[in-house]
Amino acid sequence: MTTTAQEKTAPRQTPAAQGRGADIRRHELAAFLRNRRERITPEEVGLPRGTRRRTPGLRREEVAQLSAVGVTWYTWLEQARDIQVSVQVLDALARTLRLDATERAHLFRLAEAVDPTPAASCTGVTPALQEMLRALEPLPASVQNSRYDILAYNRTYARLLCDLDAVPPEDRNCMILVYTNPEWCRSIVHLEETRRLMAAKLRASMAGHLAEPAWKMLVKRLAAESAEFRENWERYEVVNPGSRTKEFLNPYVGHLTLEHTDLFLNPGSGARMVTYVPADGDTRERLERLHDLALTGTAQPNS
């Protein structure tokens, strides 16, 4: 095994230097969390302000409660203690503190953790694939992975079930949307059946990813936010993806009957293009109208 001249002269950090770097990073993380905590008012997260509040924003115990972590543990985090933090906790803190995409990425970098959400990295969605999505319009189409993260979508899909552009990237997941997003849920005609089917499909897909943090984080979040998901998850039903007829009540153009098809792009990773074609003439006309509304930016929900 040979060593290049560059490798011989490249400086290496001593353990002491590495320790100082980690200490600086922890203090920066602590300061960032305190700053963002103080920017969030109690009213923004549905908490009463009270008459004896001294902090300008949320208290530490309120952030801990909203993020489902221990108060002592979160206090240590803001005190720059040398503790380990999981990606699940970082995700919960990012949502509690209402971090935008740049702030969320900064949080994960400071914690030296990899953000597992699709917002952090949409690998595999090439320019050619994006162009294919556009070429399918007015048919709604998206690219999803086996965890049901929506990695890319065309303009018709963006208005199919809700205003998807207004949904934070880390929440663009069909499981999260079908169990927690009111607008998405109102657009599904057979909601109870769809939720049960989606939970069964997720359990089947998860068999090959049981130890992966992103999958565990998704299930933990769904279980915390939806009693119906918890009930469906405990059924232990499994269903494989397949073509089906779906009915939606679109907020912009009305009732749609669509044939759903998965086109697998990489069977190994579960990446697939999800497409919908009209099942009748009325739906075809309404899809064309929905595409026109999305194209011009004039889509307004029906009153």
Side-chain angles (χ1 to χ4, degrees), residues 2 12 52 69 134 173 208 259 285 291:
T2 59
R12 293 184 179 180
R52 310 180 84 178
V69 300
R134 287 190 290 269
N173 173 283
E259 300 292 346
E285 185 276 329
H291 174 248

Side-chain angles (χ1 to χ4, degrees), residues 15 24 74 78 127 183 215 218 258 269 281-282:
I24 293 171
Y74 180 75
E78 280 203 9
E183 187 181 357
W215 288 77
L218 174 62
L258 299 164
S269 67
D282 289 341

Side-chain angles (χ1 to χ4, degrees), residues 1-302:
M1 179 176 178
T2 59
T3 303
T4 65
Q6 184 178 8
E7 289 173 331
K8 289 179 180 178
T9 59
R12 293 184 179 180
Q13 283 191 326
T14 65
Q18 291 175 344
R20 287 194 298 271
D23 187 60
I24 293 171
R25 191 180 296 275
R26 286 197 303 271
H27 278 84
E28 185 67 20
L29 174 61
F32 181 67
L33 289 173
R34 286 195 300 271
N35 178 274
R36 290 306 185 268
R37 170 172 61 82
E38 292 172 356
R39 291 187 181 192
I40 303 293
T41 66
E43 293 83 358
E44 287 181 279
V45 294
L47 295 175
R49 173 166 290 277
T51 57
R52 310 180 84 178
R53 182 176 294 272
R54 296 177 182 177
T55 178
L58 296 178
R59 300 186 180 101
R60 285 174 174 172
E61 57 266 29
E62 291 170 336
V63 173
Q65 178 185 359
L66 291 168
S67 304
V69 300
V71 177
T72 300
W73 186 93
Y74 180 75
T75 300
W76 287 349
L77 195 59
E78 280 203 9
Q79 291 175 344
R81 300 280 191 97
D82 187 6
I83 58 175
Q84 295 295 318
V85 55
S86 69
V87 294
Q88 292 93 332
V89 168
L90 290 172
D91 173 72
L93 290 174
R95 288 187 283 114
T96 295
L97 299 174
R98 302 192 170 192
L99 303 185
D100 62 24
T102 302
E103 293 168 333
R104 181 186 174 95
H106 184 65
L107 173 69
F108 275 81
R109 281 197 298 269
L110 289 176
E112 295 188 295
V114 177
D115 188 347
T117 65
S121 176
C122 292
T123 58
V125 182
T126 63
L129 195 52
Q130 292 277 13
E131 180 60 31
M132 188 178 299
L133 290 173
R134 287 190 290 269
L136 286 171
E137 294 173 347
L139 301 183
S142 67
V143 176
Q144 300 177 18
N145 61 18
S146 56
R147 200 172 58 238
Y148 296 94
D149 297 318
I150 303 171
L151 306 179
Y153 52 90
N154 62 18
R155 286 166 293 196
T156 317
Y157 189 91
R159 297 296 184 272
L160 182 63
L161 292 160
C162 71
D163 182 358
L164 194 55
D165 293 332
V167 175
E170 62 270 18
D171 291 344
R172 291 176 193 162
N173 173 283
C174 292
M175 294 299 306
I176 291 172
L177 292 166
V178 79
Y179 277 101
T180 69
N181 185 285
E183 187 181 357
W184 187 281
C185 295
R186 285 194 298 269
S187 298
I188 298 176
V189 174
H190 305 291
L191 180 60
E192 183 177 346
E193 177 186 342
T194 298
R195 283 175 165 172
R196 183 173 175 177
L197 180 65
M198 289 291 291
K201 289 164 71 175
L202 180 67
R203 186 173 280 283
S205 297
M206 193 172 178
H209 308 272
L210 293 175
E212 295 179 25
W215 288 77
K216 293 190 291 185
M217 184 171 70
L218 174 62
V219 172
K220 183 176 180 180
R221 177 180 175 184
L222 288 165
E225 297 184 12
S226 172
E228 188 171 352
F229 173 80
R230 293 195 299 272
E231 179 182 343
N232 286 333
W233 191 247
E234 290 306 315
R235 293 176 182 272
Y236 280 86
E237 295 174 337
V238 290
V239 174
N240 288 325
S243 300
R244 288 178 174 83
T245 301
K246 297 189 175 183
E247 292 183 69
F248 301 134
L249 189 60
N250 183 266
Y252 308 104
V253 298
H255 188 271
L256 301 170
T257 304
L258 299 164
E259 300 292 346
H260 162 251
T261 302
D262 287 328
L263 305 174
F264 282 88
L265 306 172
N266 185 339
S269 67
R272 65 195 185 281
M273 182 178 290
V274 178
T275 62
Y276 293 97
V277 299
D280 54 56
D282 289 341
T283 295
R284 181 175 298 278
E285 185 276 329
R286 289 169 185 159
L287 275 184
E288 291 172 353
R289 184 148 45 94
L290 179 62
H291 174 248
D292 290 340
L293 293 172
L295 189 62
T296 59
T298 59
Q300 295 293 330
N302 293 328

